[in-house]
Amino acid sequence: MRTRGRIDRNQTELVAILRELGCTVTSLADTGGGTPDLLVGHRGQTYLLEVKHRKGKLTPDQQRWHAAWRGAPVLVVHCPEQILDLFGPEVDDAD
């Protein structure tokens, strides 16, 4: 088991987009042991995000951590479009 995680190439871009959308973001990448990469606050909710490159897959440590976690599900994100789908502006259907 690795003790420290590494940062995927697209994480900096995705964090910038999250912050542009008004999210608060704390990196957990140095925690290692399968812990998700990001702690994200948005509209009064807390999210755990695992950042993967476009075709990246969860490591065995990450699979174990996610399976053992008793909180909200860990969201795996690969691209800006997923960030926008999750945290983009709410659409008002009342129009």
Side-chain angles (χ1 to χ4, degrees):
M1 171 170 53
R2 258 186 340 184
T3 56
R4 295 185 75 151
R6 75 172 173 12
I7 296 174
D8 283 83
R9 293 182 300 232
N10 58 339
Q11 182 166 317
T12 301
E13 174 189 15
L14 298 183
V15 167
I17 293 167
L18 286 163
R19 289 185 172 142
E20 286 176 17
L21 293 171
C23 298
T24 53
V25 182
T26 298
S27 175
L28 303 174
D30 284 341
T31 306
T35 304
D37 296 312
L38 303 173
L39 179 65
V40 177
H42 184 68
R43 296 186 178 133
Q45 299 295 314
T46 301
Y47 302 87
L48 290 169
L49 270 58
E50 181 64 48
V51 175
K52 291 290 177 195
H53 200 262
R54 294 259 181 201
K55 294 184 180 182
K57 297 181 182 179
L58 295 176
T59 67
D61 283 346
Q62 291 165 338
Q63 291 173 2
R64 282 189 289 277
W65 197 98
H66 294 197
W69 181 244
R70 300 288 184 250
V74 179
L75 306 173
V76 180
V77 295
H78 297 88
C79 61
E81 294 80 16
Q82 288 177 302
I83 296 294
L84 293 171
D85 286 346
L86 291 167
F87 301 105
E90 290 184 26
V91 176
D92 187 2
D93 292 333
D95 292 337

